[in-house]
Amino acid sequence: MNYISSILSNPIEYLKGVGPQRGELLRKEISLHTFRDLLEYYPFRYVDRTKVEKIRQLSGMEEFVQIRGRIVHMEVVGDKRSKRLVATLQDETGRIDLVWFQGWQWMQKSLRENAGYLVFGRLSQFNGILQMAHPEMDLLTEETAAGKQHLEPVYYTTEKLKARGLTAKAIGKLTHNLLEQLSLSEIRENIPAPVLQQFRLMPRSQAYFKIHLPATEEEARQAQRRLKFEELFLAQIRICRLKIRRHKASHGFVFNAVGDVFNTFYNNHLPFALTGAQKRVLKEIRKDTTTGRQMNRLVQGDVGSGKTMVALLSLLIAIDNGFQGCLMAPTEILAQQHYKGISELLKDMPLKVALLTGNIKGKARKQILADAEAGNIHILIGTHALLENEVKFHHLGLAIVDEQHRFGVAQRARLWEKNDMPPHILVMTATPIPRTLAMTVYGDLDVSVIDELPPGRKPITTVHRTEYQRPQVMDFIKDEIRKGRQAYIVYPLIEESASLDFENLTKGYEEVKAFFPEPKYYISMVHGRMTNELKDANMHRFVTGDTQIMVATTVIEVGVNVPNASVMVIESTERFGLSQLHQLRGRVGRGAEQSYCILMTGNKIGKDSSERVKVMVQTNDGFVISEKDMELRGPGDIEGTRQSGLLDLKLADIVQDRAMLQAARDCAEKILSEDPDLELPENKPLHDFLATQRSKSAWSKIS
């Protein structure tokens, strides 16, 4: 990855101390292929062996200590299995026992009485007397007598590597061999001098040496800081360049007018006043569509924040300017729901809204296709079916993609081909993406956030209950049904064990039936093994109120809107991630009534699970939850980032290093706004570095 002298592209087996067999193992176990990979294989902590203590001054409160002295006595004590070697080490101030319980025969052969040693290890007490078990022993020489010159780095290793002698210490030795071959001048700078000065960053060449062999903790910290900033800064430079290129190269339709269609709807048919956040996002969309460049905007807002209304108003602006619009949803049910909702809102307007899904066939389908091509349909709503080649528009100006993470990049790109010039693209998601992640993964999309709920929405009450309390939970559901409400009971679905999950679901279904016998209660069941027809039919029965309880796997996670459902019971909560729990909770609380989410777990749960439950009970804010989710799971797991391949960070952590990420972002934007092609003399190191990088294909494919 780095533009350093060619020695760093040498295969790892050419390094002194490696060879073909170890080389193969380092490749397989920890992905070290070249000298450069080893240089960037950073230590995860350091041991301070720069100081040497006197034996008399040890209080027993120290954890690790280093002492030097002579071995004045050695003996094997104990019998059979409790045999151990005890050696007495003496310096000018006192004595201490060194003990080996394992491998003592080998130590007995290799240690010499009356020889001087530098000893490092963990202090412990036995019968009130200080001793050291299994310490590291180095024969005293002129070099070792004063302790080490620098902190000792500790590297991750694996059992297989250790078996071949590649311990953490041995990896440190290899790194030492590499650094001896490298000269500072071979590692060229890649951050402009003004940036180095502004953030007081260590030069790059120094940072590589100091991160492996720092003289002090502070030196190690400064080296890490420099290399972390570099990772984040280069990532942001790439993303911002991509965005600038897109803005420069892309042409888009200009929506000049906000005309009769929009104004009539806004003044006469808008069911409730827009929130401040909705107005702000609409302004941002409006601005994008007047620039003459293609809009690529991500709108993220929590469940129920009113994204659909923003989408509809944007479509009306497109219609006012003589264009058609389309809205693509990931599932048939969601597409039908959008169609019903939008048709209902526009019923008093002279606009034609149509629905196209895989289930619409024959004559009806032909008619929709003909109307779309002739321009008779103003808004076409559908599933992936919209992407098919036979779907042609008269003049498509705006394409909206709902629940973006369900669609691949290539699928979305096919919407661009539906007009001579690509339509404006608006992507909506109810999966709140932490701001830090949005900056990294969707950095080349413009991001809008709807961060307030419409008035009249009551926050959902979330509680945690264990298996002991199941009868009370079931009684509570009965009370809610008596008031005319409905309930979801959701079971987890883990990919690895589909058959086991199916058993759990069926068992759960039988259990629920025992608590809620027919004909007093009716239950729908939905799971992934059903045919789509049966799934839709069962969903439909619940949506229309024919059944009071829906027992399901997580297929109901996204978008189903049943305002009358007021209880969500999540079974085996410990098997869900935080963001998924939040998404599921968002299925209730859609009407004016108070809604409840009940998190069921076993009677005992682990630390991580109880942390997740605690967060869910404390907050309804999707952004707080997604940040916490990222802290608990790491960024690589969050939906949509797995396939992007972007978060290849070795040192930086986008949760812990939020402030640094923001600074790197601001810095990258400033440099590129003043010098987009990096032609100024101070940006030459950066320009040259990027030129030596292979084209990062992952970057150009995002969004």
Side-chain angles (χ1 to χ4, degrees):
M1 162 173 157
N2 292 320
Y3 114 95
I4 311 178
S5 75
S6 57
I7 178 178
L8 287 176
S9 46
N10 286 352
I12 193 75
E13 56 266 32
Y14 293 169
L15 184 66
K16 184 179 150 200
V18 181
Q21 282 180 322
R22 280 179 153 193
E24 190 52 36
L25 206 58
L26 287 168
R27 277 196 174 85
K28 273 191 185 142
E29 288 290 296
I30 48 177
S31 296
L32 297 190
H33 299 267
T34 62
F35 286 15
R36 174 176 304 145
D37 293 333
L38 179 62
L39 186 66
E40 291 179 353
Y41 192 68
Y42 304 121
F44 68 96
R45 66 182 175 89
Y46 302 91
V47 174
D48 189 353
R49 294 189 59 180
T50 57
K51 297 191 269 303
V52 180
E53 311 287 345
K54 300 282 184 229
I55 292 174
R56 178 169 294 158
Q57 288 161 354
L58 299 179
S59 65
M61 300 305 287
E62 307 87 348
E63 191 178 9
F64 285 95
V65 293
Q66 183 163 257
I67 48 181
R68 67 169 167 247
R70 278 180 318 112
I71 289 187
V72 292
H73 179 67
M74 274 199 298
E75 66 173 318
V76 176
V77 299
D79 53 11
K80 289 187 183 157
R81 303 185 79 165
S82 66
K83 269 190 178 174
R84 59 198 182 277
L85 172 69
V86 180
T88 305
L89 185 89
Q90 176 178 321
D91 70 3
E92 62 275 26
T93 70
R95 294 179 164 204
I96 190 169
D97 281 347
L98 313 176
V99 190
W100 287 268
F101 301 94
Q102 285 153 356
W104 59 264
Q105 295 99 325
W106 189 79
M107 287 308 296
Q108 190 181 22
K109 283 184 198 142
S110 54
L111 290 177
R112 305 204 301 267
E113 269 194 46
N114 289 319
Y117 286 93
L118 185 68
V119 180
F120 177 79
R122 189 190 285 265
L123 269 189
S124 57
Q125 291 200 17
F126 178 66
N127 288 341
I129 296 165
L130 286 182
Q131 64 172 28
M132 241 190 231
H134 294 271
E136 289 181 29
M137 310 286 289
D138 290 310
L139 263 174
L140 267 188
T141 62
E142 275 180 37
E143 257 178 57
T144 60
K148 301 275 170 119
Q149 300 300 301
H150 38 69
L151 302 186
E152 197 170 281
V154 184
Y155 298 88
Y156 280 115
T157 181
T158 66
E159 291 307 319
K160 278 188 182 166
L161 289 175
K162 281 183 200 161
R164 284 289 180 88
L166 285 166
T167 57
K169 212 175 174 114
I171 292 174
K173 182 94 177 71
L174 295 179
T175 309
H176 206 277
N177 294 348
L178 171 62
L179 292 173
E180 280 179 342
Q181 289 185 43
L182 273 183
S183 76
L184 286 175
S185 61
E186 286 172 318
I187 300 175
R188 308 252 295 282
E189 190 50 77
N190 60 4
I191 290 182
V195 179
L196 291 178
Q197 284 153 10
Q198 182 189 345
F199 293 105
R200 298 203 178 95
L201 296 172
M202 185 183 270
R204 186 165 190 246
S205 51
Q206 224 181 327
Y208 274 116
F209 279 79
K210 301 284 189 202
I211 196 163
H212 292 291
L213 297 174
T216 61
E217 291 277 354
E218 179 56 23
E219 234 179 44
R221 211 177 60 77
Q222 289 302 339
Q224 284 171 349
R225 184 172 163 264
R226 149 72 211 218
L227 294 169
K228 274 182 183 184
F229 185 87
E230 179 181 313
E231 285 183 347
L232 296 169
F233 174 70
L234 293 173
Q236 292 306 321
I237 284 279
R238 287 200 192 94
I239 283 178
C240 295
R241 284 182 100 183
L242 197 63
K243 195 171 183 173
I244 289 169
R245 246 183 258 140
R246 202 196 67 218
H247 277 185
K248 258 192 190 164
S250 82
H251 297 289
F253 299 114
V254 176
F255 294 176
N256 275 329
V258 172
D260 288 349
V261 175
F262 181 94
N263 289 328
T264 306
F265 178 80
Y266 193 88
N267 297 326
N268 306 333
H269 305 295
L270 194 65
F272 46 75
L274 296 185
T275 62
Q278 285 173 308
K279 288 180 181 163
R280 186 186 68 240
V281 172
L282 259 177
K283 271 200 191 105
E284 289 165 356
I285 292 168
R286 176 90 190 86
K287 195 170 150 204
D288 285 354
T289 55
T290 56
T291 58
R293 288 194 290 267
Q294 185 204 19
M295 167 171 79
N296 262 305
R297 188 167 280 282
L298 171 74
V299 173
Q300 45 177 120
D302 229 328
V303 179
S305 60
K307 292 183 299 298
T308 313
M309 186 51 76
V310 169
L312 174 58
L313 290 166
S314 309
L315 288 165
L316 298 182
I317 295 175
I319 294 166
D320 265 331
N321 287 276
F323 293 92
Q324 294 163 287
C326 71
L327 193 161
M328 184 164 80
T331 63
E332 183 123 353
I333 284 203
L334 206 47
Q336 284 170 349
Q337 207 165 285
H338 278 310
Y339 172 66
K340 276 195 203 112
I342 288 176
S343 303
E344 178 59 29
L345 287 164
L346 297 178
K347 65 178 189 293
D348 300 323
M349 306 264 305
L351 296 176
K352 181 154 180 168
V353 183
L355 175 70
L356 183 68
T357 66
N359 279 342
I360 294 170
K361 297 190 169 70
K363 235 183 189 167
R365 189 182 188 85
K366 276 196 180 123
Q367 187 61 54
I368 290 171
L369 295 176
D371 283 348
E373 195 169 358
N376 300 334
I377 291 174
H378 296 95
I379 298 172
L380 183 58
I381 295 168
T383 53
H384 305 78
L386 296 181
L387 299 172
E388 289 166 16
N389 291 335
E390 58 175 13
V391 180
K392 296 185 172 67
F393 291 89
H394 178 64
H395 205 15
L396 181 68
L398 173 65
I400 297 177
V401 182
D402 192 17
E403 285 309 331
Q404 167 278 332
H405 60 265
R406 299 300 178 93
F407 292 103
V409 174
Q411 288 176 307
R412 292 203 299 280
R414 278 166 60 190
L415 285 169
W416 293 26
E417 295 152 19
K418 298 285 180 184
N419 207 337
D420 305 336
M421 198 147 72
H424 293 298
I425 303 279
L426 189 63
V427 165
M428 302 198 297
T429 178
T431 309
I433 300 152
R435 199 163 169 280
T436 39
L437 197 63
M439 250 196 293
T440 314
V441 179
Y442 297 109
D444 69 315
L445 283 175
D446 303 298
V447 180
S448 291
V449 178
I450 305 183
D451 49 10
E452 46 183 306
L453 288 181
R457 281 280 168 98
K458 292 188 179 131
I460 299 163
T461 302
T462 305
V463 293
H464 172 214
R465 296 289 179 261
T466 60
E467 212 39 62
Y468 290 136
Q469 297 156 305
R470 184 171 293 281
Q472 292 93 305
V473 170
M474 294 303 165
D475 287 345
F476 176 72
I477 296 176
K478 284 179 181 165
D479 288 345
E480 285 293 295
I481 291 175
R482 221 170 281 129
K483 295 179 194 165
R485 318 252 191 282
Q486 291 164 279
Y488 293 100
I489 301 178
V490 179
Y491 289 82
L493 186 67
I494 308 289
E495 289 146 16
E496 293 88 79
S497 59
S499 53
L500 185 72
D501 285 324
F502 188 64
E503 273 172 48
N504 286 349
L505 179 71
T506 334
K507 206 170 100 195
Y509 179 62
E510 294 305 326
E511 202 175 67
V512 174
K513 264 170 55 177
F515 276 107
F516 299 95
E518 290 182 355
K520 191 172 178 189
Y521 302 98
Y522 287 102
I523 304 168
S524 286
M525 177 155 80
V526 174
H527 56 79
R529 288 189 175 189
M530 286 178 167
T531 61
N532 282 345
E533 286 77 13
L534 186 56
K535 207 187 292 178
D536 287 350
N538 282 357
M539 273 299 201
H540 186 70
R541 288 174 62 209
F542 186 66
V543 170
T544 52
D546 287 350
T547 58
Q548 297 99 327
I549 297 170
M550 158 77 78
V551 174
T553 54
T554 46
V555 286
I556 57 132
E557 186 183 335
V558 172
V560 183
N561 191 9
V562 184
N564 193 39
S566 66
V567 185
M568 164 67 67
V569 177
I570 302 176
E571 295 284 351
S572 309
T573 300
E574 59 270 35
R575 287 175 66 182
F576 289 93
L578 255 181
S579 285
Q580 205 180 15
L581 289 172
H582 180 64
Q583 286 289 314
L584 286 168
R585 170 167 65 186
R587 299 296 109 235
V588 293
R590 303 193 143 228
E593 307 306 330
Q594 178 60 58
S595 290
Y596 304 89
C597 175
I598 301 168
L599 307 174
M600 297 294 295
T601 66
N603 296 319
K604 283 195 181 133
I605 56 173
K607 185 169 164 262
D608 268 8
S609 304
S610 82
E611 185 69 27
R612 286 200 291 272
V613 169
K614 201 166 99 194
V615 174
M616 285 293 292
V617 172
Q618 282 169 352
T619 180
N620 275 304
D621 184 327
F623 290 94
V624 172
I625 285 169
S626 65
E627 291 277 350
K628 191 70 193 166
D629 194 28
M630 198 160 76
E631 273 171 48
L632 290 172
R633 294 198 297 170
D637 259 4
I638 288 189
E639 295 219 73
T641 62
R642 260 198 231 90
Q643 67 263 36
S644 67
L646 279 194
L647 297 177
D648 183 24
L649 302 174
K650 293 187 169 72
L651 271 180
D653 174 312
I654 62 175
V655 179
Q656 258 89 47
D657 302 315
R658 256 172 252 192
M660 192 184 277
L661 173 62
Q662 185 63 58
R665 173 76 173 186
D666 295 344
C667 194
E669 283 180 342
K670 183 171 182 287
I671 287 174
L672 291 170
S673 67
E674 291 164 6
D675 182 18
D677 297 322
L678 302 175
E679 289 167 343
L680 293 173
E682 69 260 31
N683 293 332
K684 189 171 177 2
L686 181 57
H687 177 278
D688 293 351
F689 173 80
L690 292 170
T692 61
Q693 297 261 285
R694 287 189 302 282
S695 67
K696 289 264 180 192
S697 55
W699 294 91
S700 52
K701 288 201 183 101
I702 295 175
S703 83

